Amino acid sequence: MHVPQVALFATTILSGIAADWVQSEKQVSTVRVRKFFNTVAFTIAGIFLILTGWVSEIFPADQQTLGAVAFISIAQGGMGMSVAGFNVNHLDIGPRYAGVMMGITNTAGTISGILGPVVTGWLTPCGMCDDTDSVGYNYYWEGPLPCPPLATRLVPDNSHAFPNFANVSVGYHQCRATEVEAQWRNVFYLTSGLCLLGALCFLVCASGEVQAWNSPSVKGR
């Protein structure tokens, strides 16, 4: 699925051009330009990540995949605008140490890429069984492993919208589609909340001026 990355690529370039034009032609201060683009970027991402969790309610069944790709692409495209916000702000406040600061902040940001899959796994214990030799292949299960082991006897329970297999090893629970959707909405809520928190922090704390520590002291020379 390359569409979100194409959107990110496009908005990254266009927002940089737009930010420079606004700053030079409209005489808008650096800090206002940075705060504007960063706030818009994270707000768009936050809104459309939440909407992604509700595609089953917004779109008909045959358009849900397209809707999810569209929402994720808009969210990712929105994040591209943050390059004209917090990303380039390293050069605004400390051009002498911009490389060092980028290394530190990018390393800190990478931690979310490490923890993200772990937290997502905790929040979404219901996973689709893709093992054709296991019980309930192509259904959602919650248990100690992604797919429950083979059972000696399978008994469909017709009271459910889809077969509910009995005699599965203890500790497994067959998830309904609504349970899976609810779990993934929590992932999108959390991600969106972090986006909006980041936007708020930058909006309140950011500066566009070169900081005093950027110039080394000449005392003692």
Side-chain angles (χ1 to χ4, degrees):
M1 188 171 66
H2 301 295
V3 177
Q5 298 305 317
V6 172
L8 176 66
F9 172 78
T11 55
T12 296
I13 295 175
L14 294 176
S15 62
I17 296 172
D20 288 344
W21 180 83
V22 170
Q23 192 172 356
S24 60
E25 298 296 327
K26 299 300 182 179
Q27 301 300 308
V28 179
S29 67
T30 298
V31 68
R32 288 187 176 182
V33 171
R34 300 291 178 248
K35 287 183 176 183
F36 172 79
F37 278 91
N38 200 76
T39 302
V40 171
F42 281 90
T43 301
I44 289 175
I47 291 173
F48 280 91
L49 283 172
I50 290 176
L51 291 176
T52 301
W54 290 90
V55 290
S56 62
E57 304 294 329
I58 298 173
F59 296 96
D62 61 340
Q63 297 179 12
Q64 289 175 11
T65 300
L66 179 61
V69 172
F71 284 166
I72 289 290
S73 298
I74 295 172
Q76 187 81 319
M79 287 301 296
M81 297 177 65
S82 68
V83 172
F86 84 90
N87 205 300
V88 75
N89 193 233
H90 300 83
L91 288 167
D92 299 326
I93 64 174
R96 181 183 295 271
Y97 303 109
V100 175
M101 289 190 294
M102 186 63 183
I104 294 172
T105 56
N106 202 45
T107 298
T110 303
I111 294 174
S112 63
I114 299 172
L115 296 179
V118 177
V119 176
T120 300
W122 290 341
L123 295 175
T124 59
C126 291
M128 177 169 280
C129 178
D130 58 1
D131 183 354
T132 56
D133 293 328
S134 292
V135 173
Y137 165 64
N138 215 29
Y139 288 104
Y140 291 102
W141 291 92
E142 179 181 359
L145 295 172
C147 297
L150 288 172
T152 56
R153 185 168 59 91
L154 302 180
V155 182
D157 182 352
N158 295 325
S159 65
H160 292 75
F162 48 82
N164 185 28
F165 297 100
N167 290 341
V168 176
S169 296
V170 175
Y172 285 89
H173 162 67
Q174 189 176 26
C175 302
R176 296 177 180 273
T178 52
E179 292 179 78
V180 180
E181 291 173 1
Q183 290 176 2
W184 276 99
R185 283 172 189 151
N186 290 333
V187 174
F188 290 121
Y189 290 153
L190 176 60
T191 309
S192 176
L194 292 174
C195 285
L196 298 177
L197 178 61
L200 179 61
C201 289
F202 191 84
L203 187 63
V204 173
C205 302
S207 171
E209 302 295 328
V210 176
Q211 301 299 296
W213 44 260
N214 181 72
S215 300
S217 175
V218 295
K219 183 183 294 186
R221 290 187 179 181

